[in-house]
Amino acid sequence: MKHTISVQLRNKPGVLSRVTGLFSGRGFNIESLCVAETMDSELSVLTIVSRGDAAIIEQITKQLHKLIDVIKVTDMAELPYVEREMVLLRMKAVETTRAEVLRIADIFRAKVIDVSSKTFTIEVTGSSSKVNACIELLRPLGIKEIVRTGTVAMARAPKK
Amino acid sequence: MKKVTGAEAIIKCLKEEGVSTIFGYPGGAITDLYDALMDADLKNIIVRHEQGAVHAADGYARVTGDVGVALLTSGPGATNGVTGIATAYCDSIPIVVLTGQVPRALIGNDAFQEVDIVGITRPCTKHNYLVGSAEELVPTLREAFHIARSGRPGPVLVDLPKDIITAKFDYPAKKAMTMPSYQPNTDPHPRQVEKACKAIMRAKCPVLYVGGGVILANAQDDLIELTRKLGIPVTMTLMGLGAFPGTDPLSMGMLGMHGSFCANMAVAECDLLIAVGARFDDRVTGKLSDFATKAKVIHIDVDPTSISKNVRVDIPIVADCRNALKAINIWFDTQPGINIEEEKACHQPWFETIQKWTEQHPMTWHDDESGIIKPQYVIEKLNELTGGDAIITTEVGQNQMWTAQFFKFNKARHLVTSGGLGTMGFGLPAAIGAQCAFPEKTVIDIAGDGSIQMNIQELATARQYNLPIKVAILNNNYLGMVRQWQELFYNRRYFATPMEVLPDFIDLAKAYGAVGLRATKKSEVEPVIKEALSTRNVVLMDFRIAREENVYPMVPAGKATTEMLLV
């Protein structure tokens, strides 16, 4: 099963390589990985999407926690959370397809951020499933290039 | 305040951390540190190969329980140490390895003797550091020692750029250690302890399965108390040997691939398996789906990643083994309405079953009238003639397994062996570390003719520092363990395993200024050992043993541990 894991860690050189080394060394899978500084410049948050049964995910979270520079590990499956991913798509935009590309982009509330005579560059933001749905609809119209950020996630704030 | 150099600061900090001995080898990037060490009040053991320095620091740590320290230069010095670091990592041994590094300005420039040792050792250290500034030097070293010795211990590497070793700065005062991201849990949860105790009360056929964690936590007395109190039979992993007296009637010896028949049967048949400081390694479990299928499992370990990694655990207790065993003992002592004698008595039928298994297939070997030396006989004689009191290091292979099977370890920290990584060449340098820690003890490296050659150069180190180590080579002219596999599973195709050229170990000993002794017949074994033990010098004993003797029992790889090949 797919799991989104949020890892708070010390913002120091080599920390990312400790995390990725752990995944490659133990044969854990990484579907996406996204890392940046937080409000506190001494800390980073890394969002990692991985796949595995309960035992593997348990090992992943425990092994992550064992890293000296890791402060907190949260498996998002354990609580309500929101997640977003951004994708940049370079679309073929010839006369016959231009209108259709724009229409689909509009449905997904995607933005055109760059235009040339033969292409549109579109920014799509949303959960992975929404982004994937958009890509699938655009694919027959001719995608020239895709760049994805990977997922970032945050636990929902308590309601009260 | 007088400024100190980086080198002086390192020495001061090492002393604050209680270090008295450094195992190392000099080189360009750490010359300034060795220069300062010349005037420092620290013992320096200069080895002949950096791998030896790390193994020696490791051996020192295993016998004392203190953090061992190795000092290596940059580049090849550091990479030569990697096998030693990985060895310590696999067995959770607290060592701090200091490596020289090129000056900061040159890092990343492919400078002479530059290597990214922090990158290389990331997966085989508990943690590692490249010191980024002079201010960070001392706090980093303090953290390194703290990490190495706390929680599940392990090796920590600190990479020291040359310009930081020569920098001048104020020595920082000692502050309380604050590491919010590193807080190992050492106290057991009372509710888990209670659950475990109740499970122990319910069990009719319990087994204690103890590993190196008990020794690392110095929990042997608490283990003995629990065992005797409740009459629970004990089996030990290779790393756990000595945690419980090997001559005690409740000891079933080692379990697993070359474990005793009774230990493997008991684990297969028990209704409660109490794992303490052990990690369900594949050499212990054999085929996982057939391992301890009838048992509820209690697992005490300081490292949460060890729990439910290979075997599903019913009652986990994340804690220091000593704290957990103490808590269990206290529970049984203070819980109202428990009759300890009754509890103990109800395990008696189980103990009798185990005794039957022992009688059925005792740990034994075939003697004959030929006069050919059997390796097991050598081990038994070493055990007998040292009164079981020597510190034994081993190499890896048949020599290691026969030692584990036939030397009766009654005390913790008396067996020093590379369990997890299985590093050939470990025994001799580890013996150097052990002998440095205990100059008056008998220290014996039990070796094979193959593995002794992997770090034989350290004979010179032993001689230089007057460390009267005894090396017992079980010489069968083969890489015996691999040959055993070839015999049993590869149709006796003995390829790559015969040692077609061996040095004359007597002449070799002489060349190093050591003493060489040889036994070719059974009757010569005892006189050779006696002479070695009474010689205050390094002694190499060359025992010419039965060439094709195998280690039994043996569980073939991938089989259930009850499917043993027996003598």
Side-chain angles (χ1 to χ4, degrees):
Chain A
M1 217 181 76
K2 201 155 107 173
H3 278 249
T4 305
I5 299 164
S6 176
V7 187
Q8 193 183 55
L9 30 79
R10 289 163 86 187
N11 185 9
K12 295 204 318 183
V15 177
L16 181 59
S17 117
R18 289 184 201 280
V19 172
T20 53
L22 169 66
F23 274 72
S24 60
R26 293 191 179 266
F28 300 144
N29 142 296
I30 300 180
E31 293 213 342
S32 79
L33 181 150
C34 202
V35 59
E37 215 173 272
T38 62
M39 275 166 50
D40 179 349
S41 62
E42 307 241 302
L43 300 178
S44 297
V45 164
L46 180 150
T47 311
I48 204 156
V49 177
S50 186
R51 207 173 266 282
D53 60 23
I56 287 174
I57 299 295
E58 182 185 334
Q59 265 300 307
I60 290 176
T61 54
K62 281 176 170 177
Q63 292 286 355
L64 281 168
H65 200 76
K66 190 172 164 183
L67 294 176
I68 305 285
D69 287 326
V70 167
I71 297 162
K72 198 174 160 197
V73 181
T74 315
D75 177 2
M76 289 298 187
E78 289 166 6
L79 68 186
Y81 72 103
V82 284
E83 63 164 36
R84 288 294 177 268
E85 181 179 6
M86 190 173 86
V87 182
L88 300 182
L89 289 153
R90 180 153 299 144
M91 294 299 305
K92 211 159 32 168
V94 292
E95 203 158 324
T96 50
T97 61
R98 286 179 93 88
E100 182 63 7
V101 168
L102 289 176
R103 220 172 358 249
I104 293 171
D106 193 43
I107 293 168
F108 285 91
R109 278 183 270 170
K111 282 188 279 186
V112 177
I113 54 173
D114 187 37
V115 185
S116 76
S117 57
K118 290 187 183 129
T119 65
F120 284 141
T121 303
I122 295 176
E123 171 198 320
V124 193
T125 307
S127 66
S128 296
S129 58
K130 171 186 159 179
V131 164
N132 287 336
C134 183
I135 292 170
E136 286 322 306
L137 282 172
L138 288 172
R139 196 182 297 281
L141 301 172
I143 300 173
K144 292 168 81 82
E145 201 180 338
I146 296 186
V147 181
R148 305 177 72 142
T149 59
T151 301
V152 290
M154 199 183 249
R156 284 186 187 273
K159 288 294 176 220
K160 280 185 188 166
Chain B
M1 200 171 137
K2 190 178 157 279
K3 300 224 181 254
V4 292
T5 64
E8 288 162 351
I10 292 165
I11 291 166
K12 191 166 175 201
C13 187
L14 291 179
K15 284 188 187 165
E16 282 174 3
E17 296 294 338
V19 175
S20 60
T21 310
I22 300 174
F23 302 90
Y25 201 88
I30 49 161
T31 308
D32 295 282
L33 185 47
Y34 266 110
D35 187 58
L37 279 168
M38 187 169 175
D39 306 319
D41 173 25
L42 285 167
K43 197 160 144 198
N44 285 281
I45 304 293
I46 307 304
V47 295
R48 295 299 180 271
H49 183 288
E50 287 90 348
Q51 185 187 347
V54 182
H55 287 328
D58 174 322
Y60 181 93
R62 289 182 202 236
V63 296
T64 60
D66 300 332
V67 179
V69 176
L71 171 59
L72 322 172
T73 194
S74 66
T79 53
N80 274 347
V82 172
T83 301
I85 296 169
T87 303
Y89 183 67
C90 287
D91 291 341
S92 309
I93 304 303
I95 58 169
V96 168
V97 179
L98 306 174
T99 50
Q101 183 53 281
V102 300
R104 279 173 295 172
L106 291 182
I107 290 177
N109 282 355
D110 302 326
F112 176 64
Q113 292 194 330
E114 183 195 351
V115 76
D116 173 16
I117 196 64
V118 168
I120 288 172
T121 58
R122 221 170 256 141
C124 62
T125 51
K126 183 171 174 188
H127 197 54
N128 59 15
Y129 298 90
L130 169 63
V131 179
S133 69
E135 293 67 47
E136 286 169 41
L137 173 61
V138 172
T140 301
L141 286 170
R142 288 172 181 157
E143 259 185 40
F145 275 87
H146 173 64
I147 291 171
R149 62 162 76 97
S150 58
R152 177 177 180 175
V156 180
L157 179 137
V158 183
D159 204 18
L160 305 161
K162 190 176 187 330
D163 59 316
I164 288 179
I165 299 176
T166 55
K168 288 198 167 175
F169 53 91
D170 292 328
Y171 188 81
K174 207 161 184 178
K175 286 190 294 193
M177 186 72 60
T178 50
M179 292 189 68
S181 66
Y182 175 67
Q183 304 284 341
N185 189 14
T186 53
D187 290 324
H189 196 292
R191 210 163 44 223
Q192 294 300 94
V193 171
E194 186 172 0
K195 266 196 216 165
C197 292
K198 286 185 173 161
I200 294 171
M201 297 254 301
R202 276 193 299 271
K204 292 201 168 55
C205 316
V207 165
L208 268 155
Y209 146 51
V210 307
V214 171
I215 293 169
L216 292 167
N218 295 314
Q220 52 275 12
D221 292 344
D222 309 279
L223 173 72
I224 292 169
E225 188 189 329
L226 175 68
T227 309
R228 301 253 167 87
K229 198 194 309 260
L230 296 169
I232 304 175
V234 182
T235 180
M236 288 160 276
T237 68
L238 178 62
M239 297 309 299
L241 290 173
F244 187 76
T247 50
D248 192 290
L250 283 169
S251 168
M252 299 185 286
M254 187 170 71
L255 79 165
M257 184 174 268
H258 293 296
S260 67
F261 180 78
C262 69
N264 283 336
M265 291 306 289
V267 169
E269 295 298 323
C270 69
D271 64 356
L272 180 70
L273 187 66
I274 312 162
V276 191
R279 59 187 175 89
F280 297 87
D281 170 84
D282 57 280
R283 287 295 192 263
V284 160
T285 62
K287 190 176 170 192
L288 264 177
S289 56
D290 289 343
F291 179 74
T293 47
K294 299 173 184 170
K296 220 178 169 64
V297 179
I298 298 173
H299 191 184
I300 300 169
D301 207 293
V302 74
D303 177 6
T305 66
S306 288
I307 288 173
S308 289
K309 184 173 70 180
N310 301 332
V311 168
R312 190 187 46 78
V313 172
D314 301 289
I315 305 170
I317 300 180
V318 176
D320 174 84
C321 290
R322 190 165 169 207
N323 295 347
L325 289 171
K326 269 193 199 312
I328 291 172
N329 280 326
I330 289 172
W331 192 92
F332 278 105
D333 290 344
T334 56
Q335 192 68 15
I338 290 185
N339 184 335
I340 286 289
E341 286 312 310
E342 253 175 45
E343 286 299 317
K344 194 171 170 176
C346 95
H347 298 146
Q348 191 57 29
W350 171 232
F351 180 63
E352 282 161 17
T353 310
I354 287 170
Q355 276 183 318
K356 272 193 206 110
W357 282 323
T358 310
E359 281 158 26
Q360 204 181 333
H361 294 290
M363 185 59 83
T364 189
W365 50 281
H366 283 310
D367 203 3
D368 55 35
E369 300 303 310
S370 66
I372 292 170
I373 302 172
K374 287 296 183 90
Q376 302 91 334
Y377 176 74
V378 177
I379 307 284
E380 286 184 347
K381 276 289 158 195
L382 285 168
N383 187 41
E384 179 192 320
L385 296 171
T386 57
D389 192 41
I391 293 176
I392 302 294
T393 71
T394 78
E395 303 293 338
V396 167
Q398 289 183 316
N399 61 80
Q400 181 185 34
M401 289 300 111
W402 284 319
T403 304
Q405 292 178 330
F406 294 100
F407 202 99
K408 298 295 170 212
F409 294 96
N410 279 326
K411 281 184 268 181
R413 302 192 183 279
H414 278 61
L415 170 63
V416 176
T417 192
S418 167
L421 196 68
T423 307
M424 289 171 74
F426 172 78
L428 179 55
I432 287 174
Q435 189 81 80
C436 282
F438 295 109
E440 298 310 317
K441 273 223 165 208
T442 300
V443 177
I444 305 174
D445 170 29
I446 298 178
D449 51 294
S451 43
I452 189 59
Q453 293 186 80
M454 282 220 183
N455 271 319
I456 192 125
Q457 75 286 349
E458 300 307 332
L459 285 174
T461 312
R463 283 278 300 122
Q464 180 171 337
Y465 298 97
N466 294 315
L467 304 168
I469 292 160
K470 314 290 179 268
V471 183
I473 304 173
L474 304 176
N475 184 350
N476 54 13
N477 236 265
Y478 276 119
L479 297 175
M481 185 59 93
V482 183
R483 186 211 54 76
Q484 176 171 339
W485 282 55
Q486 288 172 331
E487 176 187 330
L488 297 173
F489 314 117
Y490 293 87
N491 215 8
R492 301 180 76 99
R493 287 157 54 84
Y494 294 168
F495 180 63
T497 46
M499 289 271 104
E500 283 167 24
V501 174
L502 274 182
D504 182 318
F505 288 113
I506 306 280
D507 287 349
L508 188 73
K510 269 189 212 142
Y512 278 107
V515 176
L517 302 170
R518 178 170 291 137
T520 52
K521 302 198 287 276
K522 191 180 172 187
S523 59
E524 293 166 354
V525 170
E526 189 165 329
V528 160
I529 295 174
K530 279 185 172 159
E531 191 181 342
L533 292 176
S534 61
T535 306
R536 181 91 199 158
N537 192 352
V538 179
V539 182
L540 225 56
M541 293 171 268
D542 181 15
F543 296 104
R544 298 296 181 87
I545 60 163
R547 289 199 72 201
E548 298 197 15
E549 184 70 8
N550 287 340
V551 180
Y552 290 122
M554 178 180 193
V555 178
K559 290 273 168 68
T561 47
T562 47
E563 297 175 70
M564 287 165 269
L565 308 175
L566 297 160
V567 177

